[in-house]
């Protein structure tokens, strides 16, 4: 087997958390350019040593690193896709966590298979959420080397800070639609079981026919369910995949393979996975399945253990037979005149009765 020598060299330095890396031909150019999106809100065009910023929305990104009690953050600029006619029209799409309209996340209990109520929680107050995620259409102006917003396609209330997706906006070359991969809403073990709920977009891969959206209309209304979408918006959005915990994709293979699609599934506790499929309307199984094994939400509750056995009570010692009774006492002898008599009220006793009068010598210690 031939030996290969591989070396690595940096393409760009001092970049802040890249979330998307793609290659595209820009308008009025005939060569590929590397494009990198960063979590903090930049999109950079890289050609050799030349680095140009084509978008900077740092001031519109939710402040990062402020999620309570966790050393990471999954919000930010996390999705980027280019129109197949980008070289001609300069259109691209981004998905990011907006710093507008903050609220407080809903309260939940940790999932416990032994407590059925924890598996049936409901996001009852939709006014409580962590942040908004925006899907927007932008246009790159090659003359000004800058970009401007064209319209908003979707604004989604995210109940928790995590499971926003990552590299989650792709163009479907077979259906000519925009694909958006959404996490289950966050927290852990999908407490509201939204990945399996067909009424909400969370935990789904959505196919969006942006070419049939009304031109010039920006859909700014935040939503938490399909029913909250306006009719024009709802009719162009459909579920392609459900049962998603968090992930990226889909990535599309060459047409010669029959149109295989690949998606990733970020696991909860022990499994990470990637799925390949051709037909839509598939279910990745979350939250009952973590890739290819059952999750804690469906594991049987441990059997109830009987209470520990108490030690046997200490038995009292066997009763001793009553002592042999002495013979009846003889009346004391008659005492001389100097003797005094004391009457003792004795406890009842079978052999004697009560009220026995005993005459004692006053010089005797009793």
């Amino acid at each position: 087997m031939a030996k290969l020598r591989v070396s690595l060299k940096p393409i760009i330095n001092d970049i802040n958390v890249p979330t998307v890396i793609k290659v595209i031909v820009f308008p009025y150019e005939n060569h590929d350019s590397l494009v990198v999106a960063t979590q903090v809100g930049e999109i950079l065009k890289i050609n050799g040593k030349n680095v140009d910023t084509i978008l900077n929305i740092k001031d519109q990104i939710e402040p990062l690193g402020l999620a309570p009690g966790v050393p990471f953050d999954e919000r930010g600029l996390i999705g980027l896709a280019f129109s197949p006619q980008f070289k001609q029209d300069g259109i691209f799409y981004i998905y990011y966590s907006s710093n507008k309209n903050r609220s407080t996340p809903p309260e939940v209990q940790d999932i416990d298979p032994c407590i059925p109520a924890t598996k049936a929680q409901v996001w009852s107050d939709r006014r409580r959420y962590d942040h908004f995620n925006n899907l927007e259409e932008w246009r790159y102006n090659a003359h000004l080397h800058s970009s401007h917003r064209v319209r908003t396609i979707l604004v989604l209330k995210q109940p928790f800070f995590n499971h926003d997706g990552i590299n989650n906006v792709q163009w479907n070359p077979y259906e000519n639609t925009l694909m958006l991969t959404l996490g289950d809403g966050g927290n852990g073990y999908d407490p509201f079981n939204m990945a399996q709920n067909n009424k909400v977009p969370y935990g789904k891969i959505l196919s969006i026919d942006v070419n049939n959206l009304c031109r010039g209309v920006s859909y700014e209304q935040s939503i938490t369910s399909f029913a909250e979408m306006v009719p024009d918006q709802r009719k162009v959005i459909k579920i392609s995949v459900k049962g998603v915990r968090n992930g990226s994709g889909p990535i599309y293979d060459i047409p010669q393979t029959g149109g295989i699609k690949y998606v990733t599934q970020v696991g909860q506790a022990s499994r990470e996975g990637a799925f390949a499929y051709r037909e839509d309307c598939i279910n990745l199984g979350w939250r009952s399945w973590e890739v290819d094994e059952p999750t804690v939400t469906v594991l049987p509750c441990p059997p109830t253990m009987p209470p520990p056995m108490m030690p046997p009570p200490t038995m009292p010692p066997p009763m001793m037979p009553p002592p042999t009774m002495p013979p009846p006492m003889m009346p004391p002898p008659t005492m001389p005149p100097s003797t005094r008599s004391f009457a003792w009220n004795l406890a009842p006793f079978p052999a004697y009765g009560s009220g026995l009068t005993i005459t004692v010598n006053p010089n005797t210690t009793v």
Side-chain angles (χ1 to χ4, degrees):
M1 180 181 293
K3 294 183 178 180
L4 298 177
R5 299 188 64 182
V6 178
S7 62
L8 302 176
K9 65 178 182 179
I11 298 174
I12 184 173
N13 296 315
D14 302 321
I15 193 170
N16 199 336
V17 193
T19 51
V20 182
I21 301 176
K22 294 190 174 181
V23 175
I24 194 72
V25 178
F26 274 73
Y28 304 105
E29 296 182 357
N30 294 311
H31 58 84
D32 290 335
S33 292
L34 185 68
V35 178
V36 178
T38 68
Q39 188 175 9
V40 296
E42 302 165 300
I43 298 180
L44 308 175
K45 174 188 175 188
I46 304 171
N47 282 301
K49 295 183 179 180
N50 297 322
V51 179
D52 297 317
T53 301
I54 67 170
L55 182 66
N56 186 337
I57 56 168
K58 287 182 178 180
D59 61 342
Q60 300 175 45
I61 295 292
E62 175 74 8
L64 304 178
L66 301 180
V70 293
F72 62 92
D73 207 325
E74 298 182 15
R75 299 169 293 188
L77 174 54
I78 50 182
L80 167 65
F82 294 95
S83 158
Q85 289 80 40
F86 177 74
K87 184 177 179 180
Q88 290 77 37
D89 60 22
I91 292 294
F92 62 97
Y93 303 89
I94 62 172
Y95 189 75
Y96 68 94
S97 306
S98 170
N99 58 12
K100 298 179 181 178
N101 302 302
R102 297 190 187 102
S103 182
T104 303
E107 295 182 0
V108 293
Q109 292 179 281
D110 292 338
I111 296 289
D112 187 333
C114 299
I115 305 177
T118 66
K119 298 190 291 181
Q121 299 179 73
V122 177
W123 186 12
S124 55
D125 187 355
R126 301 294 174 97
R127 296 170 300 178
R128 297 191 62 173
Y129 57 91
D130 185 81
H131 63 279
F132 284 4
N133 282 330
N134 292 5
L135 176 64
E136 296 176 349
E137 181 179 288
W138 287 67
R139 187 187 300 274
Y140 172 71
N141 188 317
H143 301 290
L144 300 177
H145 302 286
S146 63
S147 304
H148 67 274
R149 182 187 289 108
V150 176
R151 58 179 172 168
T152 300
I153 296 172
L154 181 68
V155 178
L156 188 69
K157 286 183 181 178
Q158 184 77 3
F160 303 100
F161 86 99
N162 56 339
H163 299 185
D164 298 89
I166 185 70
N167 190 18
N168 64 334
V169 184
Q170 310 290 341
W171 192 266
N172 181 344
Y174 305 120
E175 298 180 1
N176 204 31
T177 58
L178 190 67
M179 307 299 290
L180 176 64
T181 300
L182 299 175
D184 61 10
N187 197 266
Y189 289 104
D190 192 3
F192 303 133
N193 199 25
M194 293 201 287
Q196 293 299 322
N197 184 350
N198 292 337
K199 296 180 180 180
V200 299
Y202 308 95
K204 314 295 188 305
I205 298 179
L206 303 180
S207 175
I208 306 174
D209 187 1
V210 293
N211 294 319
N212 282 315
L213 274 174
C214 292
R215 286 289 169 186
V217 176
S218 192
Y219 300 90
E220 306 284 350
Q221 176 66 35
S222 63
I223 63 104
T224 62
S225 69
F226 291 113
E228 296 170 351
M229 296 179 179
V230 300
D232 288 342
Q233 189 182 32
R234 179 66 187 95
K235 71 181 182 181
V236 301
I237 298 178
K238 69 177 184 178
I239 298 174
S240 174
V241 176
K242 65 185 291 186
V244 177
R245 179 179 179 270
N246 196 30
S248 62
I251 303 299
Y252 295 88
D253 207 340
I254 58 176
Q256 287 81 352
T257 64
I260 297 177
K261 309 161 191 175
Y262 302 91
V263 295
T264 64
Q265 179 85 308
V266 180
Q268 173 74 50
S270 61
R271 312 289 280 184
E272 313 283 353
F275 296 85
Y277 65 101
R278 285 191 173 91
E279 300 298 326
D280 286 345
C281 301
I282 66 168
N283 190 345
L284 303 187
W286 179 254
R287 72 183 178 179
S288 296
W289 288 85
E290 184 177 0
V291 185
D292 61 349
E293 66 178 18
T295 67
V296 68
T297 63
V298 295
L299 294 179
C301 184
T304 304
M305 301 300 292
M309 294 183 63
M310 302 298 293
T314 304
M315 302 300 294
M319 294 182 64
M320 300 299 292
T324 305
M325 303 303 296
M329 292 181 65
M330 298 301 291
T334 303
M335 303 300 293
S338 58
T339 306
R340 294 187 299 169
S341 295
F342 296 88
W344 286 1
N345 185 18
L346 302 179
F349 202 82
Y352 297 104
S354 61
L356 174 66
T357 299
I358 300 177
T359 301
V360 295
N361 190 325
N363 297 321
T364 302
T365 301
V366 179

